[in-house]
Structure formats: structure tokens, C-alpha cells
Amino acid sequence: MKYVLVINPGSTSTKIAIYSTESMEIHTEVVEHNVEALKAFEHIIDQSEVRREEIVRVLREKKIGKEDLACVVGRGGLLRPIRGGTYLVDMDIVNDLKASVQGEHASNLGPILAKEIADEAGVEAYIVDPVACDEMDDVARFTGLKGEERGSLAHYLNIKGVTRKVCEDEGFDFYEDNFIVAHLGGGFSIGPLKKGRLVDVNNANHGGPFSPERVGTLPLGILVKYAFSGEYDKKSLLRKFQRSAGLVSHLGTSDAREVERMIHDGDDYAAKVYEAMAYQIAKEIGASAAVLKGDVKAIIMTGGLAYSSMLMGMVEEYVKFIAPVLRVPGELEMKSLYEGARRVLSGEEKPLRYREEILSEKF
């Protein structure tokens, strides 16, 4: 039996999964790394050896040798903009991640770790629908300033993986039907999935509704006020907008369960903030419906907040007139990574080459 090794690095942990090539999950484990040990590395990319040792340990404990691997697949990182799909990890990918062409992120380690282990095993390494994907229609890129375009950093892996699952369960066609998908976690990615392409999206860090941690779209005057207040440099202001805003700013927590406890205890302000977040999610879904000209097979809610019946109920009241609302709580990242690799191994898809698919060299 051959196996597919799946690697998904997070900021302080590494998710590891092992699947058989017959689609059976053999083992899943989340390795929690020593936070202080990770802080000793100047750059995230320097953590690769520490994380690789843990991955090799898991393989050893499960008595899976490198000769037993069919391939290795990692979560994709902050590459140059590319279309979605399964990519062969080559040195073009590795070099761009080491150069941090779109910034440093734990996911940058995914392709590097996958290739290191795959090379030792004599097999190929892949990534699937990385966060750097950009499938936006040209008309969606325009801003009111010439030379400045909207970009697309989104939760592509989970958005596409969850939609494929819904299609399988409901009898829909991933490449022919249209969906609105709302990935609702610490940050939000909400957009229209048109015949398999995410043709527009709010960009989790730069706009859309406020979320548990992110500020969302700010009125221009407020943004300028903070930028020229003298209290922040660029890095600290981005940190405030991307990590200390949203529910954190209003209520001091990013945990929706805690917010709901506040509401049940009679906190009227918490109730208003939660309703406002639901309202803004619904508005973004409505905008996506306009992009699709109302041709929407289903609205799909996913991510951690999709577990909340209270929040989902409020959103659904606004948007259920558009299309049926389906909930797939949590995330399917590991299975989506495996499925992308499996489609290549089975010959269902051909792997894409990064250099051939790059949409922009400006980074």
C-alpha cells in the first residue's frame, strides 16, 4: 500500500495527515511546537528543520518508510498570484517562498517541507489551491486610483474543498453551477464561485465585513486619521487592523462562544456587535449574488463561525431569498490537500507548473 503525506503548517503547530492512495485516512495529528523555540528563529522559513523532524517522527511511529510514499502534499504559501489547482512543487516555488515575495507566513513552509521529504523519498511534491491564488475577473480588480488594483488573498483551499463536498453530497456540478461561499474564521473570505472559479472576493485582510480579529472595510477618513495619528508605524497599524480589530476591539475576545455567553447574560452591546457582524456578512453575500446576476445554486457557510446557530440564523434571515443556505462548519483543508494530490495521481488532472501560471511579476 502506498501513502500520501499531507503537511499543513500553522503559526505554532503543524498538522500532519497520512492517507492511503485508496482514499482512507490512516492518521491525523497536530504537533504543537514550543512557542519560545520558534521565536528564536529570525524568519519563519528557518523553522523548516524543527518541523521536518516532527513529521519524520510521526512517519516513524506509524512505521511508514519514505519508500512507502506515493507523494507529499503541503499547504501552499504566499506565492505570486496564480490560478487555482494542484501544482508540482519545483525550485521556482521554493525560491519565491524563501524570498517572501508576498510576505512571511507559516504556510510558506508547506511546499518547502513537502519537497524536502518528497525528494528524499524519490516522489513528487504538490500544493493545492494556495492562498496566493487569484481568479478574479478583470472588472473586479479596478479601484478608483489608476495603477492600483484589488488583489486576491483568500481561503481558496477550504472554499473549493467545501464546495466540492457540497457538490458531491447534493448532486451539483462544481464546474457548471454557481455558488456563494463564505469562509468565516478569524478572517473572512466571501465571494462568488462561478463555474469553479472564485471570480471576486473581499480579501480576508483588506476589506469586507469586520470579523473576530480583522477590521474589514473602513471609511477612508477613519483610515487616514489612524495613519497620520503619529501613534503607529506601518507594521503596528496593520497588526491593529488585522489582529486587534473586529470582535476583539469591541468586546475584548475573538471567541464567538464567549460573545454568545455575553449575549445570554444580557449584554446588549455584545448583541448589537454580533448582529452588526451578521449584517455585514449578509451584505457581502448580497454583493456576490449581484456579481452572479442572481444565478446562485446555493450559499455555503463554512469556517469556525459556521458552528454558531445564533450567527448563522441571523445571516440566513437576510440571504435565504437568494438561494438555499448550506452549512459545512469547520474546515476540510487536510482532505482537500489530499484530494488535489489524488486527482493528479489518478490522472484525473495534470499538475500545473508555477512559472507558467504566474499572473503578475510585480511582487
Side-chain angles (χ1 to χ4, degrees), residues 120-153:
E120 291 175 10
V123 296
E124 302 289 8
Y126 301 102
I127 57 173
V128 182
D129 294 326
V131 292
C133 286
D134 187 338
E135 300 178 333
M136 288 172 61
D137 285 340
D138 287 342
V139 70
R141 299 181 187 281
F142 275 81
T143 71
L145 289 177
K146 186 175 181 179
E148 297 294 336
E149 294 184 347
R150 295 179 62 233
S152 171
L153 287 175

Side-chain angles (χ1 to χ4, degrees), residues 320-341:
K320 62 185 179 181
F321 75 96
I322 298 171
V325 179
L326 306 176
R327 289 168 57 184
V328 186
E331 47 83 14
L332 297 176
E333 288 187 344
M334 303 302 278
K335 191 168 190 296
S336 298
L337 288 167
Y338 162 72
E339 290 289 349

